[in-house]
Amino acid sequence: MRFLAVPAALFALIACAGPEDLSAECATLNDYCASRAKTECTTQVVSQCQAKDISTCVADRTAACLKAVPQGTVYVPTAGPACLKAVAAAYVTATITADALDTISTQCEPIFSGPGAARSPCTVDYDCSTVDGLRCLIAFGETSGKCMAPNMIDEGAPCPGEADICSGAYFCEPKSKVCVALGGDGSQCSPEYQPCMKGFRCPGSIFVTTCQALAAAGNACTTADECASGLCDKATGQSQGVCADQIQLTALDSLCAIYQ
């Protein structure tokens, strides 16, 4: 694949292209990893993170991409374009948002498909043949499940089937087998029977307790799952950071470590 002399030009091309325009950039796993590396290693990222140079950044990120392929999975070329567009949109500036990172996670997950056929045991989606529409469906309170095609159920409707998944902020209540609302602020919750909606957590306990809001931006954190945004901004080498909705890349920020 051709690498333009001005990385920003390549970035703009990817950001504006439709998924069909990027199919050649994702034809093979090597193509995808090289294209993703070029998309990440923009002039802004290299400058703000104080990476050595663009070519070194691209080489390192390509190698890291190839090394990160989930074991036992196969590459799905048709999923590549949407992933590359999400990456391009996230790195349009040196300010990385939590929403953009979440979009990357969603759009890039289908890049790899696992080996599991229908009803195979699983613990994560990559255990299943996601290219065939299978996901690892784990009943609430369990630690493992089966590879099955999700059957989406409307809120308040019965969910007796083992592949039934409740839509929106609902879950299949284990006893009644009906889609009921996830708990909000102050609602009763249980790690075994009643989960909380996004942005809240049920404190780890075997007893019934109440849903508590995750930390807002600006509050201290040690892991991303403590934050409502899902993003804990840390300096390189530090165990504690602050919850953030967005991060301005600097050479000292942990998000830059992979580019240095």
Side-chain angles (χ1 to χ4, degrees):
M1 289 177 294
R2 185 177 61 179
F3 179 40
L4 299 181
V6 182
L10 176 64
F11 171 80
L13 178 63
I14 290 178
C16 297
E20 66 281 357
D21 300 323
L22 296 175
S23 57
E25 301 296 315
C26 307
T28 68
L29 176 60
N30 284 339
D31 290 337
Y32 161 73
C33 283
S35 295
R36 177 162 180 166
K38 293 171 185 177
T39 306
E40 289 183 19
C41 295
T42 63
T43 302
Q44 297 98 316
V45 169
V46 170
S47 175
Q48 290 296 114
C49 291
Q50 295 183 15
K52 183 178 180 180
D53 52 51
I54 290 175
S55 59
T56 301
C57 177
V58 170
D60 289 347
R61 294 304 298 151
T62 299
C65 174
L66 292 169
K67 187 177 181 180
V69 175
Q71 188 173 6
T73 63
V74 295
Y75 172 63
V76 183
T78 54
C83 174
L84 287 185
K85 286 180 70 68
V87 174
Y91 290 90
V92 68
T93 69
T95 300
I96 310 299
T97 69
D99 287 343
L101 293 178
D102 187 57
T103 300
I104 288 176
S105 177
T106 299
Q107 294 296 326
C108 296
E109 184 179 14
I111 286 289
F112 301 105
S113 178
R119 306 192 66 78
S120 296
C122 60
T123 55
V124 295
D125 281 347
Y126 285 138
D127 291 334
C128 306
S129 180
T130 55
V131 73
D132 294 318
L134 303 179
R135 296 292 185 271
C136 186
L137 303 188
I138 303 175
F140 185 68
E142 301 294 330
T143 57
S144 63
K146 299 175 183 177
C147 295
M148 292 183 285
N151 178 37
M152 302 309 297
I153 304 297
D154 292 335
E155 56 190 60
C159 49
E162 59 182 345
D164 290 345
I165 301 295
C166 299
S167 302
Y170 285 73
F171 81 108
C172 189
E173 202 281 321
K175 295 180 181 179
S176 67
K177 295 296 182 180
V178 171
C179 289
V180 300
L182 294 164
D185 192 17
S187 298
Q188 283 195 337
C189 66
S190 163
E192 297 294 329
Y193 301 107
Q194 172 67 56
C196 303
M197 66 174 58
K198 184 178 180 180
F200 295 85
R201 69 182 183 93
C202 191
S205 170
I206 60 173
F207 304 106
V208 174
T209 180
T210 57
C211 294
Q212 297 178 4
L214 293 173
N219 286 279
C221 58
T222 54
T223 61
D225 57 11
E226 297 173 0
C227 305
S229 66
L231 185 59
C232 182
D233 184 20
K234 300 178 184 179
T236 301
Q238 298 299 307
S239 60
Q240 184 167 309
V242 294
C243 295
D245 294 322
Q246 61 182 32
I247 294 175
Q248 178 66 41
L249 293 178
T250 71
L252 297 178
D253 195 277
S254 59
L255 280 186
C256 275
I258 59 175
Y259 301 105
Q260 297 169 336

